[in-house]
Amino acid sequence: MILIDQEKCTGCGDCLAYCSVGAIKVKNRKAGVDPHRCTDCYVCVRNKACPQDAMTPSSLEAFIDEFCHVISDPTVTTAETGVPGRGTEESKTNDVTGRVKKGEVGFAIDMGRPGVGCYLRDVEKVARAVCAAGLKLEPGHVSPIGKLMTNLETGEFLPGIGDKYFLSIIIEGKTPTSNMGGVIQALQRVEKEIDTVFSLGLVLRVDEEGRSAAIAELPKYGLPVPTRGKVNVGLGRPLVTD
Ligand code: SF4
Ligand code: SF4
């Protein structure tokens, strides 16, 4: 695949025309290559597409090493999402993005912790379990872990990367409210099969009274009704009305 040096890249977009499969995207004035789309034809590097010399061929190993660095070093911004730290805004801008709509529940499964960490093989087990239970995962330009997957429908990861170790990483997705319990139960089953910890964040849309029927359902699945949460009051624009 092709790596783009984010320090050198000016976001000019000159390289886009060289890629016949649309693997290169410019976002937040930085270019990035989708590793699942890049065919390694090297048309871009062979033709010196980049006036800044920011494009270099790279192995999967180098890509994963770079990915680990970006996700684990909070001073580095993830190119595709424009967000530092673990590269995702989670639910914090839901009023603008509208990712989780009424009638849906968003899941943020926060795996590992500083001092504990997590192997990707365990992350994949959890991703596969929640996908099988009907969670629709967010793509890589929204939630970086998607860039490590070969199939967002099943939660299958790139081959040979299970031994890679992270401080923490977030699996994000959503499901209809009616299926919230199914995903929670899948998590309760798979937690016995992994050698790390995770915390579960639920992204819920409340009604005009500030209530969510889904919260009241949690004790049915052995989970306490949360006494604290982050509240997005909807001051962002554009307002999401659905
Ligand atoms: S190597 Fe080929 S497919 Fe990959 S980014 Fe360059 S032109 Fe596109
Ligand atoms: S041509 Fe080079 S500097 Fe311009 S967007 Fe592509 S990688 Fe970045």
Side-chain angles (χ1 to χ4, degrees):
M1 64 169 292
I2 301 297
L3 285 182
I4 295 183
D5 185 329
Q6 298 296 301
E7 299 292 317
K8 289 183 180 173
C9 177
T10 60
C12 67
D14 285 6
C15 52
L16 300 182
Y18 289 81
C19 183
S20 60
V21 295
I24 312 170
K25 298 266 186 299
V26 176
K27 198 169 174 194
N28 298 318
R29 298 190 188 157
K30 295 288 177 187
V33 174
D34 181 345
H36 304 308
R37 220 170 164 78
C38 175
T39 60
D40 284 316
C41 66
Y42 289 6
V43 165
C44 51
V45 283
R46 212 168 47 244
N47 288 286
K48 300 187 173 28
C50 177
Q52 308 299 328
D53 196 24
M55 309 180 86
T56 45
S58 172
S59 65
L60 175 62
E61 256 176 29
F63 163 68
I64 295 295
D65 285 349
E66 172 69 11
F67 184 91
C68 286
H69 169 59
V70 170
I71 292 297
S72 300
D73 181 345
T75 67
V76 181
T77 296
T78 305
E80 289 74 10
T81 63
V83 180
R86 290 172 297 177
T88 172
E89 293 173 324
E90 303 171 65
S91 60
K92 299 181 187 87
T93 53
N94 200 67
D95 54 344
V96 175
T97 62
R99 278 161 58 182
V100 177
K101 304 195 184 314
K102 285 182 179 168
E104 295 177 330
V105 177
F107 279 70
I109 305 158
D110 196 342
M111 297 202 59
R113 271 281 173 273
V116 178
C118 58
Y119 285 101
L120 278 183
R121 56 175 172 268
D122 282 335
V123 182
E124 182 172 11
K125 268 187 205 164
V126 173
R128 283 177 178 266
V130 291
C131 282
L135 194 72
K136 188 173 184 311
L137 298 180
E138 296 288 357
H141 68 273
V142 172
S143 183
I145 197 170
K147 290 166 64 65
L148 300 182
M149 296 184 190
T150 54
N151 191 333
L152 282 173
E153 304 292 318
T154 62
E156 183 182 350
F157 279 41
L158 292 161
I161 62 173
D163 286 343
K164 210 66 201 167
Y165 191 59
F166 283 80
L167 287 179
S168 69
I169 195 162
I170 306 179
I171 301 170
E172 291 175 88
K174 63 183 184 176
T175 196
T177 306
S178 57
N179 190 43
M180 178 183 75
V183 177
I184 290 173
Q185 287 170 328
L187 283 169
Q188 289 168 330
R189 285 191 296 273
V190 77
E191 73 176 345
K192 300 179 183 76
E193 300 169 23
I194 58 172
D195 187 22
T196 185
V197 297
F198 65 80
S199 61
L200 172 61
L202 294 175
V203 186
L204 303 166
R205 296 280 295 265
V206 296
D207 63 19
E208 288 70 17
E209 304 294 322
R211 297 200 179 91
S212 160
I215 290 181
E217 296 277 301
L218 294 176
K220 263 177 42 183
Y221 306 103
L223 298 181
V225 172
T227 53
R228 64 187 176 85
K230 295 174 183 172
V231 179
N232 183 320
V233 294
L235 296 178
R237 294 288 185 277
L239 286 175
V240 176
T241 53
D242 57 340

